[in-house]
PDB file of all heavy atoms in Angstrom:
ATOM      1  N   GLY A   9    -176.892  32.049-108.485  1.00  0.00           N
ATOM      2  CA  GLY A   9    -176.268  32.193-107.176  1.00  0.00           C
ATOM      3  C   GLY A   9    -177.220  32.754-106.135  1.00  0.00           C
ATOM      4  O   GLY A   9    -178.302  33.251-106.439  1.00  0.00           O
ATOM      5  N   PRO A  63    -171.085  16.469-138.309  1.00  0.00           N
ATOM      6  CA  PRO A  63    -172.522  16.701-138.134  1.00  0.00           C
ATOM      7  C   PRO A  63    -173.063  16.044-136.862  1.00  0.00           C
ATOM      8  O   PRO A  63    -172.505  15.078-136.347  1.00  0.00           O
ATOM      9  CB  PRO A  63    -173.138  16.042-139.372  1.00  0.00           C
ATOM     10  CG  PRO A  63    -172.022  15.891-140.345  1.00  0.00           C
ATOM     11  CD  PRO A  63    -170.789  15.705-139.527  1.00  0.00           C
ATOM     12  N   ALA A 108    -185.152  16.059-123.617  1.00  0.00           N
ATOM     13  CA  ALA A 108    -185.588  17.168-122.761  1.00  0.00           C
ATOM     14  C   ALA A 108    -187.071  17.422-122.983  1.00  0.00           C
ATOM     15  O   ALA A 108    -187.608  17.168-124.070  1.00  0.00           O
ATOM     16  CB  ALA A 108    -184.795  18.437-123.075  1.00  0.00           C
ATOM     17  N   ASN A 140    -196.934   3.568-130.430  1.00  0.00           N
ATOM     18  CA  ASN A 140    -198.049   2.701-130.799  1.00  0.00           C
ATOM     19  C   ASN A 140    -198.629   1.935-129.620  1.00  0.00           C
ATOM     20  O   ASN A 140    -199.832   1.654-129.574  1.00  0.00           O
ATOM     21  CB  ASN A 140    -197.622   1.712-131.893  1.00  0.00           C
ATOM     22  CG  ASN A 140    -197.439   2.401-133.233  1.00  0.00           C
ATOM     23  OD1 ASN A 140    -197.983   3.482-133.469  1.00  0.00           O
ATOM     24  ND2 ASN A 140    -196.665   1.797-134.117  1.00  0.00           N
ATOM     25  N   LEU A 291    -223.569  39.349-153.691  1.00  0.00           N
ATOM     26  CA  LEU A 291    -222.118  39.168-153.618  1.00  0.00           C
ATOM     27  C   LEU A 291    -221.810  38.163-152.519  1.00  0.00           C
ATOM     28  O   LEU A 291    -222.220  38.345-151.369  1.00  0.00           O
ATOM     29  CB  LEU A 291    -221.429  40.499-153.307  1.00  0.00           C
ATOM     30  CG  LEU A 291    -219.933  40.433-152.929  1.00  0.00           C
ATOM     31  CD1 LEU A 291    -219.107  39.953-154.114  1.00  0.00           C
ATOM     32  CD2 LEU A 291    -219.438  41.794-152.440  1.00  0.00           C
TER      33      LEU A 291
END
Side-chain angles (χ1 to χ4, degrees):
N140 288 338
L291 169 66

